[in-house]
Amino acid sequence: AKDAGRNRFEYYKPEMNTKALQRLHLENALRSAIAENQLMVYCQPKVNVNSGAVVGLEALLRWKHPQLGFVSPAEFIPVAEESGLINEIGDWVLRQTALQQRLWQSHGYAIVPIAVNLSARQCGQKDLVEKIQTIVRDTGLPPQFIEFELTESMLMDMGVNCLELMNKLSSAGFSLALDDFGTGYSSLSRLKLLPVKTLKIDQSFVRDIATDENDEIIVNATAVLAHAMEMKVVAEGVETQQQLEFIRDLQCEEYQGYLFSRPVPPDEAEQFLRQD
Ligand code: C2E
Ligand code: CA
Ligand code: CA
Ligand code: CA
């Protein structure tokens, strides 16, 4: 049945065009995407707001389907989550990322930590930390070069299990960042307990920061909070020089965004890692 589903969406008819069917087609196509080499890991630099130096990278998954072209992660990550495919795909992303990092190290490139996203479904796996350790150990990369990004909303949904997971990852030598910060409602008392080094301010607060005073207030408050807990702040989605100036004035340490670079394939990301 699996194989029959695979090619179905080349013959798909307009009357089948319901959301559920589209999803099924996407799921079937995604199922074979790894084996057929359609997935790639792109990298986006994290940049120091003052020096302009590249101080980290984030690994972002890309799927190029032979007929559909690039499918947005916003579309296929939820499908991967619901179908459980995210577990297999996530393992693959981590292995690729660690292998790439090892390759850069052996070629003498500057070594900056590289962040990998973990979604809720992945974090629900009982043996996740052991599996992660095995994957990374097999590549020969020391764990301190990998950071994991977990979203703030996962904290609420998973509660104490999320804290336990974070503590295990941290004890294993990995760094942790809290992604999409500001979109969930973390309790401040719990935030203090987390072994997290970085808060990533969601791009929805950065977009209108130059014109919306509320956003400015939120980013400022987040930075004050983060610094009081000895965390650093990364602003996401910085597209303009003006946004950069705002987040710099608000004491954010790092930023990511199209202003500096879009996510790019590893061979293009290399240019950011050259040492003089
Ligand atoms: P995210 O982790 O919050 O990643 C940031 C998203 O913002 C990325 O979208 C990135 O391309 C985009 N972005 C970066 N700079 C800018 C900018 O200046 N302006 C705008 N408008 N957008 C910017 P992308 O790559 O489409 O990924 C979307 C989401 O899919 C990610 O959000 C993450 O939640 C998920 N995702 C991507 N790759 C993976 C993965 O390997 N594993 C898991 N579990 N989730 C992933
Ligand atoms: Ca992220
Ligand atoms: Ca984010
Ligand atoms: Ca997000």
Side-chain angles (χ1 to χ4, degrees):
K2 221 200 246 175
D3 281 326
R6 230 173 239 180
N7 297 316
R8 216 180 273 158
F9 81 100
E10 281 136 56
Y11 312 111
Y12 118 175
K13 300 190 178 65
E15 64 267 26
M16 293 165 71
N17 195 359
T18 67
K19 272 235 150 69
L21 267 175
Q22 278 180 347
R23 216 176 164 92
L24 184 63
H25 293 314
L26 210 56
E27 183 182 324
N28 284 326
L30 191 55
R31 218 171 268 288
S32 51
I34 297 185
E36 292 174 11
N37 286 318
Q38 296 166 8
L39 299 183
M40 289 162 287
V41 177
Y42 276 33
C43 297
Q44 186 180 40
K46 298 185 184 181
V47 183
N48 182 290
V49 293
N50 296 310
S51 69
V54 171
V55 291
L57 295 170
E58 178 177 3
L60 291 160
L61 185 58
R62 292 292 176 267
W63 176 21
K64 193 176 183 188
H65 184 272
Q67 278 82 42
L68 300 172
F70 279 101
V71 184
S72 162
E75 205 173 333
F76 75 79
I77 294 282
V79 175
E81 279 261 293
E82 273 183 38
S83 61
L85 283 169
I86 192 68
N87 294 343
E88 191 193 336
I89 291 173
D91 295 350
W92 182 85
V93 169
L94 179 61
R95 188 174 300 108
Q96 292 305 304
T97 302
L99 285 172
Q100 182 62 59
Q101 181 76 307
R102 276 279 286 158
L103 199 68
W104 278 328
Q105 293 199 356
S106 66
H107 290 179
Y109 286 99
I111 300 312
V112 297
I114 183 159
V116 173
N117 290 286
L118 288 179
S119 65
R121 177 90 180 231
Q122 288 174 274
C123 291
Q125 300 172 91
K126 270 212 312 291
D127 57 346
L128 179 66
V129 178
E130 291 71 23
K131 193 169 65 166
I132 284 173
Q133 285 181 289
T134 304
I135 291 171
V136 174
R137 196 181 298 123
D138 285 350
T139 68
L141 184 77
Q144 67 262 30
F145 298 113
I146 300 279
E147 178 173 56
F148 290 105
E149 297 188 357
L150 286 79
T151 65
E152 187 195 17
S153 58
M154 282 163 57
L155 268 184
M156 299 185 309
D157 299 345
M158 297 175 59
V160 63
N161 293 332
C162 195
L163 179 60
E164 197 185 321
L165 171 66
M166 286 179 153
N167 282 330
K168 275 168 123 186
L169 285 170
S170 174
S171 306
F174 300 103
S175 303
L176 296 171
L178 214 49
D179 206 353
D180 301 348
F181 192 80
T183 59
Y185 302 89
S186 346
S187 89
L188 299 186
S189 56
R190 196 190 283 158
L191 213 50
K192 205 175 59 179
L193 300 172
L194 300 178
V196 166
K197 284 203 216 159
T198 307
L199 293 187
K200 297 189 73 177
I201 297 187
D202 192 68
Q203 56 190 53
S204 58
F205 303 109
V206 175
R207 193 174 303 126
D208 302 320
I209 195 162
T211 50
D212 188 337
E213 206 188 342
N214 291 326
D215 289 338
E216 198 183 338
I217 289 166
I218 291 165
V219 173
N220 181 54
T222 305
V224 169
L225 176 70
H227 296 150
M229 296 186 299
E230 292 173 332
M231 297 176 186
K232 71 177 179 193
V233 180
V234 179
E236 301 190 285
V238 174
E239 297 183 353
T240 69
Q241 189 62 38
Q242 197 183 28
Q243 290 167 338
L244 175 59
E245 276 152 27
F246 269 87
I247 63 125
R248 187 191 284 132
D249 288 346
L250 296 171
Q251 314 297 320
C252 298
E253 281 86 355
E254 297 171 16
Y255 75 98
Q256 275 179 268
Y258 299 166
L259 177 65
F260 188 85
S261 170
R262 290 180 175 259
V264 291
D267 59 328
E268 279 179 54
E270 269 172 25
Q271 64 180 307
F272 303 125
L273 306 175
R274 294 232 166 83
Q275 315 205 72
D276 303 312

